[in-house]
Amino acid sequence: EEQERLNAALTEVIGESYVLRYPKTGELNSAFIFKDLDGDGTEEAMAFYSVYDESTRINVLKKTEESWVSVYEAAGFYGDIESVNFAKIDKKGSDVVIKWEQEVGIYRYENERLEKVHGDSCEGAEITDIDGDGKNEVVIISKNAMGRNSLKIVYGSGREVLATDDISIHADYPNIFAKGYGKIYDGKGMFFIDSEISEGVYLTEMFSLEGTGAKRFFISDFMEKEEDESESENEGVVVVVGGGYGKRGIFLRNTKVPCMDINGDGIIEMPAEVREDYAREASENIFFIQYVQHNGTNAVPVWNGVANTEIGYLFAVPENWNENTVIKKSSSADSFVFCEKKN
């Protein structure tokens, strides 16, 4: 019955020759989406449709006692709607974040008008609260004019919607396998991206909102640099030996495991490889890894374990197993045996 009333209100304004359009992904996948857009305590309805061509239009409707009334129509975008979400970029009302095929648009409803307050080319957009101020930021991942992978953060300042400059990133959007928000030791919020940057090589990148700019971090940025350590062509390759974290350059790994709060302390830990082993009598590589946490001056291990993400396991082992064990395939059962290494 409610949808019949909404269709009747649309027909009254635009006639009967329209086709409803539906977001392709996400929880909000209806042609009619309800939300209190202006913060007045009453929900508006947003309708997505096209008339005669492939251009998707947006109509905002308000409810009266017995019916819905169209109050504003806005141009949308040529092509499909990928997703629709809402963000509180300021603390009044909800802004609409629409991911079109190759673009993201952020729309604000005020004074019965739906205005586009930000638009960008976009491969992916994530809504989070990076700086913990109770308002949302929108992280936009795209390719810049030079075709390089880039990231920017859209944020609010008063009633303004602003954006940081693009910063280059290693992650190519289709190769991102995990992303999310978390805090480091001092409560600072970070946006984390785990991606495959070349075949079988994985990287964690972290981003914070610093004033009006976005800043990128790697695990190695949290590590003390030894005075006698010099730069080398191999910096960035896994070089951790003996559990020593004074060395830089452990941010690349061959294990497809994501950042997570692995010990439940409310702080995000980052994975780093200690060494690679393989199960004798089995063609399976197994990686000894540690999850490390920034403690203010350095990155320190808080969890030790082994992982094989192709099969799908991650389990803890004692720290001294990192260097003092070999792994064998059990012939009597589908299991692995960890054996003490003998000189």
Side-chain angles (χ1 to χ4, degrees), residues 104-266:
V104 64
I106 302 176
Y107 302 82
R108 177 167 289 175
Y109 181 70
E110 285 185 312
N111 302 319
E112 296 191 345
R113 293 178 62 86
L114 188 69
E115 301 287 352
K116 187 176 184 179
V117 293
H118 185 83
D120 249 307
S121 61
C122 173
E123 292 186 276
E126 299 291 328
I127 299 169
T128 186
D129 178 10
I130 296 177
D131 55 7
D133 64 354
K135 300 186 295 184
N136 290 133
E137 289 80 42
V138 182
V139 178
I140 297 174
I141 301 169
S142 61
K143 290 190 181 296
N144 62 22
M146 303 294 292
R148 295 173 181 165
N149 301 316
S150 65
L151 177 146
K152 70 172 56 173
I153 301 173
V154 178
Y155 63 97
S157 177
R159 289 292 287 162
E160 286 189 278
V161 176
L162 305 174
T164 66
D165 291 335
D166 286 331
I167 59 174
S168 295
I169 63 175
H170 287 285
D172 198 17
Y173 190 76
N175 295 329
I176 293 174
F177 65 89
K179 52 188 181 294
Y181 164 82
K183 294 182 178 180
I184 58 174
Y185 81 103
D186 59 357
K188 176 184 285 187
M190 292 276 190
F191 185 75
F192 294 81
I193 292 177
D194 291 300
S195 67
E196 184 177 29
I197 62 169
S198 62
E199 186 175 357
V201 179
Y202 306 96
L203 171 69
T204 294
E205 297 173 89
M206 298 158 278
F207 305 89
S208 67
L209 182 61
E210 308 278 347
T212 60
K215 188 173 182 180
R216 180 177 63 171
F217 299 86
F218 299 109
I219 298 175
S220 56
D221 293 318
F222 296 143
M223 297 181 182
E224 296 174 339
K225 188 172 182 179
E226 296 179 357
E227 291 183 4
D228 61 349
E229 183 181 357
S230 59
E231 303 295 329
S232 73
E233 295 179 359
N234 293 324
E235 187 170 37
V237 178
V238 177
V239 294
V240 177
V241 292
Y245 279 86
K247 297 284 188 183
R248 295 188 62 201
I250 67 165
F251 61 93
L252 292 181
R253 61 187 183 273
N254 300 109
T255 317
K256 190 179 179 180
V257 291
C259 293
M260 66 177 78
D261 179 11
I262 198 163
N263 60 355
D265 63 355

